[in-house]
Amino acid sequence: MPLIGASDTSIALAVSLALYLLVAGPVLAVCFYAIARKPSDATERAVADVERFIELRERARTELAASGSLDRFIELKDEARRHLWQPASERAHPERRSSKPETPPVSQIMRPARLRVATNRTVRKGEPMRVFVAGAAGAIGQRLVPQLVASGHHVVATTRSPEKLERLRALGAEPVVMDGLNALEIGEAVARAEPDAIIHQMTALAGMSDLRRFDRGFAVTNELRTKGTDHLLCAAEAAGVRRFLAQSYTGWPNIRDGGPVKTEDDPLDPHPPKQQSQTLEAIRFLERAVLAAPLEALVLRYGNFYGPGASEQMLDVVRKRKLPIVGAGGGIWSWIHIDDAAAATVAALEQGAPGIYNIVDDEPAPVSEWLPYLADAVGAKPPRRVPVWLGRLAAGEVAVSWMTRIRGSSNAKAKRELGWQPKWSSWRDGFRQALTDDGTAAPSRSPERPAA
């Protein structure tokens, strides 16, 4: 039905104008908003900024989705910063530019988020920091977060499970849901947190029991130590994070030749049991990647955890006499109470120099000593003894290596350089008094009520 009094030309013009506004309206609105906030002589630059932003945003989204990594973002960020995120005052007055350029958060490349530009701000020794704890709902994370909060730090704590958000909030943290294998989620979470430091505690070890298929049981943890570490490092560098701490492990990765106790300078095992080769390679990757990053990077090699939330599964096995001494029980283990591990992490955050640190107690000990002692401490019968051939037949090469060949670790460097002293300097006292928060032996779980 024709419009009354309208010519064909006017109808065509009206339709064209409507279509133009529908398509170009949002971009023009952003342009006008940007122009309104800038000096009048910056109008052309504002329009160019919007156009450049749209181009870079689409490139970033496409390439990040295809690669699953933030590597491409790192390549794009400098170009984006030059075109988009230089403050208007610096554009108008180049002489006011800081000597060290600011780095944009990841989310500013992906979309026009209302976030402040992250900076490499100087943090004086003893000054509270914004700390991003990735994997804070794990055994050590739940003991670490309260200690960080007690030291005055603002903690952003991540978990994969929305159900754990309230638990982290109750510990004093600002909780965030984040998938440690999703580059975009990591980048967004780090950008929004704008932390001074990141602590990488991401693992997935719940229910690990089949030593014959060790690498299979560690598959997700190995991904978190490789891909997850890579994503976190990229996001850290992009967001201007100053310090980066990462969880590693000491014990069976030590070379199994030479003396019974190894330092951080000793090599890792060049020939681990085949079933552990992928896991050891993931540990190597994590340590190399973290130490090579352009950050103040520290690797914390924790020993075997015990204490609240960290040893219940092992205690069930000991009580049921399913953990025998294989051969002479000469494998050397290094233990660390979960709260002492958390305290060492806080010390490393606040005053540690870049490098690797063994976080263990003062008394590396052979299986033949600590296992009977633990059984007695929890009221269990003494462990059985089996010959090496039977241990290999029943549990595989990894179990035999742990029981007969692995080496312990020295904590001398951590104590000397971090100013840290474990409260439970020996597993002997810890096994007797600190397996649970109330100082008693951890109760055995009923088979009908498995661990959550």
Side-chain angles (χ1 to χ4, degrees):
M1 181 175 177
L3 295 175
I4 297 176
S7 67
D8 292 342
T9 301
S10 62
I11 293 174
L13 287 174
V15 172
S16 298
L17 178 60
L19 289 175
Y20 178 79
L21 292 175
L22 179 64
V23 174
V27 172
L28 287 175
V30 175
C31 288
F32 293 147
Y33 175 75
I35 291 169
R37 296 184 62 187
K38 301 179 187 302
S40 59
D41 60 353
T43 300
E44 293 184 3
R45 182 58 183 269
V47 175
D49 277 358
V50 174
E51 294 173 346
R52 187 65 176 145
F53 169 79
I54 293 172
E55 177 188 348
L56 287 172
R57 181 189 62 185
E58 295 309 315
R59 286 173 60 192
R61 282 178 171 171
T62 300
E63 297 187 34
L64 287 171
S67 66
S69 172
L70 289 177
D71 289 344
R72 182 55 179 159
F73 165 73
I74 297 300
E75 297 177 14
L76 291 174
K77 70 182 179 63
D78 289 336
E79 182 180 1
R81 181 174 61 234
R82 288 195 303 271
H83 286 277
L84 297 172
W85 307 116
Q86 183 183 348
S89 60
E90 292 184 2
R91 291 175 182 167
H93 304 282
E95 70 278 3
R96 297 182 186 177
R97 295 179 186 177
S98 60
S99 58
K100 190 169 187 178
E102 293 179 327
T103 305
V106 176
S107 56
Q108 286 187 332
I109 293 294
M110 298 181 199
R111 61 178 178 269
R114 300 189 188 97
L115 299 177
R116 292 179 290 115
V117 176
T119 60
N120 288 309
R121 75 180 183 90
T122 300
V123 180
R124 296 186 180 90
K125 186 175 181 179
E127 181 180 340
M129 288 181 268
R130 292 182 61 84
V131 183
F132 185 92
V133 181
I140 185 170
Q142 294 188 60
R143 313 299 287 193
L144 172 61
V145 167
Q147 292 197 31
L148 289 169
V149 172
S151 295
H153 303 297
H154 178 88
V155 180
V156 177
T158 80
T159 175
R160 290 172 293 175
S161 304
E163 297 79 12
K164 297 180 180 179
L165 289 175
E166 287 305 316
R167 184 187 308 174
L168 293 176
R169 185 175 286 111
L171 296 177
E174 176 187 335
V176 174
V177 173
M178 184 190 81
D179 181 351
L181 295 177
N182 187 310
L184 301 183
E185 288 188 15
I186 290 176
E188 184 70 14
V190 172
R192 289 188 178 280
E194 294 186 327
D196 301 302
I198 290 176
I199 302 179
H200 176 2
Q201 299 284 5
M202 297 189 298
T203 59
L205 301 179
M208 173 64 190
S209 60
D210 188 355
L211 299 184
R212 287 183 176 277
R213 297 173 177 82
F214 191 91
D215 282 338
R216 181 184 299 180
F218 268 75
V220 177
T221 293
N222 292 341
E223 279 198 284
L224 291 168
R225 286 173 171 167
T226 53
K227 293 179 182 179
T229 297
D230 188 42
H231 298 336
L232 270 177
L233 287 171
C234 288
E237 198 275 337
V241 174
R242 184 175 65 93
R243 291 175 71 77
F244 192 102
L245 283 68
Q247 175 189 143
S248 187
Y249 175 73
T250 189
W252 66 258
N254 288 333
I255 188 170
R256 293 176 291 169
D257 295 328
V261 179
K262 305 299 181 183
T263 72
E264 294 84 351
D265 294 328
D266 286 302
L268 299 182
D269 194 347
H271 305 293
K274 181 179 179 180
Q275 298 86 349
Q276 291 181 301
S277 59
Q278 294 175 18
T279 302
L280 183 53
E281 186 55 36
I283 290 173
R284 291 182 191 275
F285 176 95
L286 178 146
E287 295 189 354
R288 287 195 304 262
V290 170
L291 295 177
L295 306 164
E296 296 176 11
L298 294 82
V299 170
L300 305 180
R301 290 177 175 171
Y302 299 118
N304 296 292
F305 289 149
Y306 72 94
S311 49
E312 288 82 357
Q313 183 179 10
M314 178 185 65
L315 297 183
D316 284 346
V317 174
V318 169
R319 287 192 176 95
K320 296 172 183 176
R321 303 186 78 194
K322 292 184 178 181
L323 187 61
I325 297 174
V326 178
I332 308 296
W333 289 43
S334 284
W335 293 92
I336 186 68
H337 191 278
I338 195 77
D339 288 338
D340 283 331
T345 305
V346 176
L349 170 72
E350 295 176 344
Q351 60 190 47
I356 298 175
Y357 298 88
N358 290 337
I359 307 301
V360 296
D361 72 13
D362 295 347
E363 191 179 355
V367 175
S368 59
E369 287 187 24
W370 68 257
L371 184 50
Y373 190 95
L374 176 59
D376 183 67
V378 299
K381 294 180 179 179
R384 296 184 172 91
R385 290 180 175 268
V386 301
V388 171
W389 68 266
L390 182 56
R392 183 174 288 110
L393 181 65
E397 188 60 37
V398 170
V400 170
S401 178
W402 284 9
M403 289 289 175
T404 64
R405 292 193 57 193
I406 66 171
R407 303 302 200 262
S409 304
S410 168
N411 66 6
K413 178 182 178 182
K415 291 169 65 177
R416 180 179 66 249
E417 298 188 16
L418 302 181
W420 165 75
Q421 174 65 49
K423 176 181 178 181
W424 304 103
S425 58
S426 170
W427 47 268
R428 298 178 189 275
D429 295 332
F431 286 176
R432 292 285 182 188
Q433 304 174 44
L435 289 174
T436 62
D437 282 322
D438 61 6
T440 63
S444 178
R445 287 198 179 102
S446 168
E448 290 75 29
R449 299 182 63 186

